[in-house]
Amino acid sequence: MINAPRNVRVIKHINGTYDTFANFTTVKNALDYMRRLGIANDSWYIIDAKDNRLRLNDFGSLVVFNSLIGY
């Protein structure tokens, strides 16, 4: 069995820095993780394998977010 790279990250903004909390192979897995833990707020983001920055909007959909300064 070949292990897929875990290039998708769930990060959180804490005291002016961004910390990685979990790594996944797909955005779907990262989204499931965020929804399961109920961590869908303005401090949590998903960074995909192409470095797109995503977050959940108020309707529970992923949207591209372009203002992670310094990450």
Side-chain angles (χ1 to χ4, degrees):
M1 181 175 137
I2 298 173
N3 291 328
R6 297 183 177 271
N7 294 333
V8 179
R9 302 178 306 280
V10 172
I11 65 170
K12 181 176 178 159
H13 183 256
I14 302 171
N15 297 327
T17 64
Y18 294 92
D19 294 324
T20 300
F21 273 75
N23 296 297
F24 298 93
T25 55
T26 67
V27 170
K28 181 184 181 326
N29 291 344
L31 179 58
D32 289 344
Y33 171 82
M34 287 179 69
R35 286 182 173 157
R36 235 183 5 259
L37 294 179
I39 57 175
N41 64 39
D42 291 340
S43 298
W44 291 88
Y45 306 92
I46 294 173
I47 308 296
D48 72 9
K50 295 180 181 179
D51 285 333
N52 293 311
R53 292 144 174 98
L54 310 167
R55 73 175 179 187
L56 287 173
N57 66 12
D58 292 337
F59 304 105
S61 300
L62 281 177
V63 294
V64 176
F65 185 74
N66 292 315
S67 91
L68 288 178
I69 297 170
Y71 195 87

